[in-house]
Every structure is written in structure tokens, then in C-alpha cells.
């Protein structure tokens, strides 16, 4: 069958940003609590931030196992609920955005990624991203920063699709959006 599309993983394939990745998998809730403390004056003890990191990591590990994803703000809200810390979902979402955006300066393209994406796009090959990212906007911010966002037909994150990459449905949803069959697509990751 002919090649009808190419999909890319995001982290360590298109972009490198270890600080963002650490937030995604370990530290978003303690970093959010630092953000919240600096803006509200509410003191959040170190042991509470440490417990937030532990609880969030357990949640992320569970998501990896069962493959059903929630976005970073919902995961943070859940973790805060387990800690008995009532913060409005609007404030949590704004704080997660701010903390994630703070890592954008450290997001750098993988060597050769920009040229590869541009060459494939110029050749008329539809492109998409398939990423286990709990905070979807970061993918778009990074790709826009690199000047290649418009080369992609679709950016599929686990946060927007609802499945982590341990569940093949994330790939199926992206292929549906591309109108491609699995044997017609190459995934780079």
C-alpha cells in the first residue's frame, strides 16, 4: 500500500524539553502549588508538596497501565482533592498553563526534526503528532516556536484524545482524522 501519512511522537522526536517532561510525569502539582502560593500568599508546606508529587506520580502510573487519559488540569485537581486542598478548577487550569508555559524557553527541536517535517510537508505528505501529553497546549506552543505547527494536519495528544499511548486507540483516532489505514502510515518515535 502507498504511504498516505507520517505521524511523529513529540518528546525526544520533535522536541526536547526535560523540564516540561518532568512536569508531565512527576512534578506538575507541587510546581502548581508553588505558583499558587506565590500568587495567593497561602503557605503550602514542603511535606504537602512532596505528598502531592507522590500522589500525582501514582495517578500517572495508573494512567499508563489502564491507558485512559485525563488532561493535566483534571489530574492536578484530582490530586489536590486527595490532599484536601480546595482550589477552583479555573485557578488550577490557569496555574497549569502558567507553569507549563514557563518551560517553553527550554523546548528545543531535535536535530534534523524541523528540516524533516518541512521536507515531508513540502512533498505533500500529511503529518500528525501522536503524543502522551497531558497538557496539549505545550505541543502546539513548541511547534509554533519552531515554525512548523502549520505543517501538521492534526496534533493528537493523550489529553485531547482521552487515551495514553499504552492504549492503541490513540493511534486509531489519529489515523481516523488523517483518513489513513495503519499499513499506510509510518510512525516516527
Amino acid at each position: 500500500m502507498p504511504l498516505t501519512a507520517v505521524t511523529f511522537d513529540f518528546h525526544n522526536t520533535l522536541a526536547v524539553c526535560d523540564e516540561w517532561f518532568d512536569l508531565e510525569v512527576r512534578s506538575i502539582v507541587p510546581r502548581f502549588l508553588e505558583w499558587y502560593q506565590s500568587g495567593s500568599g497561602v503557605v503550602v508546606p514542603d511535606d504537602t508538596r512532596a505528598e502531592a508529587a507522590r500522589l500525582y506520580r501514582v495517578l500517572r502510573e495508573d494512567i499508563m497501565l489502564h491507558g485512559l487519559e485525563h488532561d493535566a488540569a483534571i489530574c492536578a485537581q484530582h490530586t489536590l482533592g486527595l490532599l484536601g486542598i480546595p482550589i477552583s478548577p479555573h485557578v488550577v487550569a490557569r496555574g497549569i498553563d502558567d507553569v507549563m508555559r514557563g518551560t517553553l524557553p527550554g523546548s528545543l527541536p531535535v536535530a534534523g526534526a524541523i528540516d524533516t517535517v518541512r521536507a515531508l510537508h513540502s512533498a505533500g505528505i500529511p503529518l500528525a503528532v501522536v503524543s502522551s501529553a497531558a497538557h496539549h497546549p505545550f505541543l502546539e506552543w513548541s511547534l509554533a516556536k519552531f515554525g512548523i505547527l502549520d505543517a501538521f494536519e492534526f496534533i493528537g495528544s493523550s489529553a485531547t484524545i482521552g487515551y495514553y499511548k499504552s492504549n492503541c486507540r490513540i493511534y486509531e483516532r489519529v489515523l481516523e482524522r488523517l483518513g489513513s489505514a495503519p499499513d499506510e502510515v509510518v510512525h516516527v518515535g
Side-chain angles (χ1 to χ4, degrees):
M1 296 208 122
L3 177 69
T4 63
V6 175
T7 61
F8 291 86
D9 190 12
F10 176 75
H11 185 63
N12 289 336
T13 302
L14 293 172
V16 175
C17 188
D18 292 338
E19 185 181 8
W20 163 79
F21 186 74
D22 185 67
L23 289 174
E24 281 272 330
V25 301
R26 288 183 187 80
S27 62
I28 190 62
V29 180
R31 290 280 300 279
F32 164 79
L33 288 169
E34 291 169 9
W35 173 91
Y36 182 71
Q37 179 174 288
S38 70
S40 69
V42 174
V43 176
V44 180
D46 289 344
D47 61 334
T48 300
R49 287 196 303 274
E51 181 64 1
R54 187 189 72 75
L55 291 170
Y56 181 72
R57 185 65 190 148
V58 168
L59 175 63
R60 296 309 304 162
E61 289 171 350
D62 287 347
I63 287 169
M64 286 182 243
L65 286 175
H66 58 62
L68 301 176
E69 180 69 278
H70 298 286
D71 77 19
I74 291 171
C75 291
Q77 193 76 52
H78 174 78
T79 303
L80 294 168
L82 292 174
L83 292 166
I85 301 173
I87 301 174
S88 81
H90 174 73
V91 171
V92 172
R94 190 176 78 232
I96 297 297
D97 263 1
D98 285 355
V99 170
M100 289 287 194
R101 192 178 296 277
T103 68
L104 188 58
S107 181
L108 303 171
V110 169
I114 291 173
D115 291 340
T116 300
V117 167
R118 286 183 178 153
L120 291 169
H121 180 66
S122 292
I125 298 171
L127 307 176
V129 173
V130 183
S131 175
S132 285
H135 191 69
H136 181 88
F138 189 83
L139 305 180
E140 293 184 2
W141 299 335
S142 291
L143 297 173
K145 174 184 169 184
F146 305 158
I148 58 172
L149 178 60
D150 62 341
F152 292 94
E153 302 271 327
F154 183 65
I155 309 297
S157 67
S158 57
T160 58
I161 294 175
Y163 297 105
Y164 193 82
K165 285 196 315 189
S166 59
N167 187 321
C168 67
R169 290 184 185 141
I170 189 171
Y171 294 99
E172 292 168 357
R173 296 298 182 266
V174 172
L175 293 179
E176 288 170 10
R177 288 291 300 262
L178 292 170
S180 296
D183 60 351
E184 300 171 338
V185 177
V186 171
H187 180 72
V188 180

